[in-house]
Amino acid sequence: GFQKISDNTAPITRVIDRGEGIYVYDTDGREYIEATASFYVACLGYQNAELIDAIEKQYRDLPFFVSALHRTNTPALELAEKLVEIVPVADSHIMFGVSGSEALDYLIKMLRFGAVARGEPERKTIIGRQGSYHGGTVASASLTGGHHEEFGLPIEGFRHVSQCDYHGHREPGETQSEYSKRCGEELRALLDAEPEASVAAFFAEPISFSNGFKVPPMAYFPAIKAVLDDYGIDLAIDEVITGFGRTGNMFGCESFDIKPDHIATAKAVNSGYFPLSAIAMSKSLYDDLERGSEDVGVLAHAATHAGHPVGAAAALKTLEIIERDNLVAHAASMGSRLANALESVRGHELVGDIRSFGLGSGVDFLKRDDNDVPVNTPEQADAVMSAVCEAMLEAGVIVRPAGRSIVIAPPLIIEGSEIDEIVRRLVRSLDRVAAQH
């Protein structure tokens, strides 16, 4: 995925053979710091013995059971209760899936079911943001704000507004508050152009990791929420990446004081040791689903592996470890160390911006001059990004290339000395690329 198919060759592909802590090792014996927790998933790193033991126990107790037709399993129920306790959605109800893509797809599907149950069948349009990535299913890829043309997407019922990219999109001298207001006005203009009572929800990530770690100004989400409230439109937050400690709070919503109607989670919920995702939906949507299923006689939706007992047991143990070992606070502390260390490269000739929040940072290669005007194109910045990413890989550090930037977001268990080593290797890689250019 995310490469040319013709690159699927033995000379190019690095086959990862094992992992330990924040490190992974390929079949040639090379060691790499996994500085993105492998697509922001492995929050507890690799070979966590306590988590593996919990998974093994569940395999021996009940390796699989489907949740449907008046039957379920104890770990799934316990995980649902735990999520209700911690998610920032009041009186929420939980629906499980297998991947983040499924969680977002299912939420879109449930929003449509709820609209029909309320007697508003036309309220099914979903608004996303350009450049945001939400998944690989047809619906979640339509919500995703890019790579549409080559797949014949989006399907009917999806609209997009601009990505929140203050560094890349601001007008010269435009303040964060002014920029946020302009984003809100763009959303209002789109809603005014849509048929009345046709839009169901606006979807966004607290931080757009997949678009290059775009951190919103603090005024951004209040500006968006004010518009949504004026039109009676739900706010759905994609916490697939930002959930479970990444932003220095348990959820990204809490870091930006966002009040969502629904959230979707996955990835770090069980550190990637077993596929699992979850939706936390509002009570009002749940009530619509309950009423609609009474009218129809059934909610004709299920997934064979949703609420899988092994995945649920892994998630329960992961959340126990995160809370017991204070990993959210640890992530915030390590994030501060990463942000401070990265200040050493802010003035580098290749670097245009450094964005840090929680245990995550983006190094952006779009540069601006003293008049706040970009001096290189996004395409030129992308070329530098790719070169730096390759140099980092050769230096034994895996980072994520995205949106003119490299993204650094290591496992929550990382220690300070390991943060420092990532930055040391970044400095060497930047210097190497600069010398070649």
Side-chain angles (χ1 to χ4, degrees):
F2 296 103
Q3 64 184 56
K4 292 185 295 184
I5 296 297
S6 59
D7 286 345
N8 286 335
T9 64
I12 295 176
T13 304
R14 299 176 191 236
V15 180
I16 302 303
D17 197 40
R18 63 187 180 90
E20 184 74 32
I22 70 163
Y23 300 92
V24 294
Y25 302 84
D26 67 19
T27 48
D28 293 326
R30 289 198 61 187
E31 178 185 86
Y32 304 87
I33 298 173
E34 223 317 349
T36 62
S38 192
F39 277 37
Y40 323 114
V41 179
C43 65
L44 301 183
Y46 298 90
Q47 296 301 321
N48 184 291
E50 189 176 358
L51 181 51
I52 292 169
D53 287 346
I55 291 170
E56 181 182 3
K57 180 181 184 304
Q58 185 57 49
Y59 268 121
R60 296 188 183 282
D61 291 344
L62 182 68
F64 169 72
F65 198 81
V66 71
S67 287
L69 294 172
H70 308 97
R71 292 180 287 277
T72 188
N73 61 83
T74 299
L77 288 174
E78 291 179 351
L79 177 59
E81 293 294 340
K82 179 62 178 178
L83 291 174
V84 166
E85 176 189 323
I86 65 174
V87 295
V89 175
D91 301 318
S92 62
H93 290 258
I94 306 299
M95 174 179 281
F96 290 118
V98 173
S99 67
S101 300
E102 278 193 359
L104 290 152
D105 194 296
Y106 293 172
L107 179 52
I108 292 166
K109 184 180 179 183
M110 294 307 117
L111 285 165
R112 289 191 168 201
F113 186 98
V116 171
R118 290 194 310 274
E120 295 184 299
E122 299 305 314
R123 192 180 283 277
K124 56 187 178 182
T125 297
I126 302 295
I127 300 174
R129 300 186 298 177
Q130 296 160 5
S132 288
Y133 181 81
H134 294 286
T137 65
V138 170
S140 63
S142 294
L143 174 60
T144 291
H147 290 287
H148 285 161
E149 185 175 353
E150 64 263 41
F151 291 105
L153 298 173
I155 58 175
E156 179 272 330
F158 289 87
R159 306 286 187 271
H160 297 85
V161 293
S162 297
Q163 178 62 232
C164 182
D165 179 5
Y166 179 67
H167 178 68
H169 292 170
R170 72 174 180 262
E171 299 294 338
E174 188 175 32
T175 68
Q176 292 191 3
S177 179
E178 291 167 341
Y179 174 78
S180 299
K181 181 180 179 182
R182 180 156 62 88
C183 290
E185 291 170 348
E186 179 193 7
L187 175 60
R188 186 179 297 277
L190 184 150
L191 293 174
D192 285 340
E194 294 295 308
E196 187 176 356
S198 65
V199 177
F202 176 90
F203 280 65
E205 324 95 298
I207 298 171
S208 186
F209 276 67
S210 296
N211 196 240
F213 202 81
K214 302 299 193 298
V215 179
M218 293 306 293
Y220 173 78
F221 276 105
I224 294 296
K225 189 68 165 63
V227 174
L228 297 176
D229 288 347
D230 286 346
Y231 290 80
I233 294 169
D234 285 0
L235 174 60
I237 294 296
D238 180 346
E239 293 268 10
V240 169
I241 291 175
T242 53
F244 309 107
R246 177 59 60 187
T247 65
N249 285 289
M250 186 63 82
F251 292 94
C253 294
E254 297 165 314
S255 295
F256 291 93
D257 196 27
I258 304 168
K259 307 299 182 186
D261 295 288
H262 326 285
I263 67 170
T265 68
K267 292 189 184 288
V269 66
N270 57 21
S271 198
Y273 282 47
F274 198 96
L276 184 137
S277 62
I279 301 163
M281 67 181 74
S282 68
K283 183 180 185 302
S284 61
L285 176 56
Y286 174 81
D287 289 344
D288 290 336
L289 302 187
E290 188 172 277
R291 182 170 54 254
S293 70
E294 289 288 339
D295 294 341
V296 177
V298 64
L299 177 65
H301 171 90
T304 302
H305 296 284
H308 196 293
V310 176
L316 286 165
K317 180 56 68 172
T318 298
L319 295 174
E320 176 189 328
I321 293 169
I322 288 173
E323 292 181 338
R324 183 197 67 209
D325 295 350
N326 297 315
L327 289 182
V328 176
H330 179 74
S333 174
M334 291 299 99
S336 294
R337 185 159 180 159
L338 176 61
N340 291 335
L342 285 174
E343 287 302 310
S344 66
V345 304
R346 184 177 291 277
H348 193 278
E349 63 183 284
L350 297 181
V351 174
D353 191 32
I354 303 287
R355 294 181 293 274
S356 295
F357 200 101
L359 185 50
S361 294
V363 181
D364 196 326
F365 300 104
L366 181 74
K367 295 177 65 68
R368 287 175 174 266
D369 63 18
D370 292 340
N371 295 316
D372 202 23
V373 176
V375 298
N376 57 345
T377 67
E379 292 75 19
Q380 291 169 329
D382 278 343
V384 175
M385 170 199 72
S386 296
V388 173
C389 186
E390 184 61 31
M392 288 288 279
L393 193 61
E394 291 300 320
V397 182
I398 299 173
V399 295
R400 181 76 164 93
R404 314 179 313 253
S405 309
I406 60 167
V407 180
I408 300 170
L412 304 188
I413 61 170
I414 196 168
E415 297 296 338
S417 61
E418 295 166 329
I419 291 282
D420 297 342
E421 183 59 28
I422 290 172
V423 177
R424 277 194 292 269
R425 297 188 197 186
L426 172 61
V427 171
R428 293 201 301 269
S429 298
L430 289 171
D431 289 343
R432 175 183 171 186
V433 173
Q436 293 170 348
H437 282 66

